[in-house]
Amino acid sequence: MIVICPSCSSRFQYAEDRFLGARSKRFQCPKCNTVFEVMNPGIPANPEVLPTPMEVPESAPRPTETTSRKQRDAMLKEAGMGEAGMPPDIRYSLAFLTGPQASTVRALASPVTVIGREEGDVIVHDPEMSRKHARIEIHADGTAWLADLDSTNGTVTDGKLLDRPVQLADRQEFSCGRSTFMLLIRTIDSNSME
């Protein structure tokens, strides 16, 4: 099925069997981070309990990015992961060590970077990668976190397949499909910028 973000209209594919019998599933848009709920198309909704999207009046308030970002940042803080945001004095780059784009480096300009074969911020034409394979999230405290996005072949760092987000250190390597990457973290001297 195709899931569409109600905030930014980004589209992404989701296998219906991943609902695992649940009536609905919460999603977080990888582009704008809006959290929203999608009904399982395999389970008919009871109109008396849950209105279908067609029954929601146009005048009804819509979720905003500000509200969902506050909820998301609160969850991250509670999990000890900090808030998302690029620290002004640190620069992050992604070095491509192996794969189709080997020997190149790309600066990361936003706090959330999605790596994928067909969708995301960093597109790598690697047939072993999933459409949206992994996500690097940079937090205001300067930490960088790597998460697998339920990819087919998984994301590997330190010889282990990721089953939860892990913090990346400077020059730490990770693999998605046949491609290997290295995260580079550099502190910028504020005196040299004058």
Side-chain angles (χ1 to χ4, degrees):
M1 69 181 283
I2 301 294
V3 176
I4 302 172
C5 174
S7 181
C8 70
S9 300
S10 293
R11 301 166 63 95
F12 53 98
Q13 195 165 18
Y14 190 78
E16 290 179 31
D17 61 340
R18 291 175 59 193
F19 276 94
L20 301 174
R23 181 175 295 281
S24 63
K25 179 98 174 179
R26 290 182 66 110
F27 291 92
Q28 180 178 358
C29 178
K31 294 284 186 187
C32 71
N33 295 317
T34 297
V35 177
F36 58 98
E37 193 167 23
V38 174
M39 301 305 295
N40 183 344
I43 297 177
N46 182 351
E48 295 174 5
V49 178
L50 297 171
T52 62
M54 299 296 272
E55 296 169 345
V56 176
E58 285 297 318
S59 61
R62 302 281 182 221
T64 63
E65 183 177 347
T66 306
T67 303
S68 62
R69 179 161 299 280
K70 285 180 186 175
Q71 292 169 346
R72 179 176 166 278
D73 288 345
M75 287 187 322
L76 290 172
K77 190 172 184 178
E78 187 175 313
M81 294 174 63
E83 298 178 0
M86 299 289 281
D89 58 343
I90 302 175
R91 293 293 176 256
Y92 301 84
S93 300
L94 191 61
F96 297 75
L97 303 179
T98 64
Q101 292 166 284
S103 301
T104 61
V105 176
R106 178 170 175 176
L108 303 182
S110 70
V112 178
T113 301
V114 174
I115 302 167
R117 183 186 73 238
E118 293 179 13
E119 297 177 33
D121 307 296
V122 176
I123 305 296
V124 182
H125 301 289
D126 180 340
E128 297 294 317
M129 287 180 81
S130 293
R131 266 177 201 262
K132 287 185 182 176
H133 197 101
R135 178 180 64 235
I136 297 173
E137 190 160 330
I138 299 165
H139 295 196
D141 63 3
T143 60
W145 294 80
L146 174 67
D148 183 73
L149 298 177
D150 293 325
S151 64
T152 303
N153 294 319
T155 302
V156 177
T157 186
D158 295 327
K160 297 177 185 170
L161 200 60
L162 294 186
D163 59 354
R164 59 184 170 76
V166 296
Q167 186 175 348
L168 291 176
D170 179 37
R171 297 179 182 242
Q172 186 167 351
E173 296 181 17
F174 63 95
S175 298
C176 301
R178 294 182 187 165
S179 301
T180 304
F181 307 91
M182 177 188 288
L183 181 68
L184 303 172
I185 304 172
R186 296 287 173 263
T187 303
I188 298 170
D189 182 6
S190 59
N191 295 330
S192 66
M193 294 180 9
E194 294 176 356

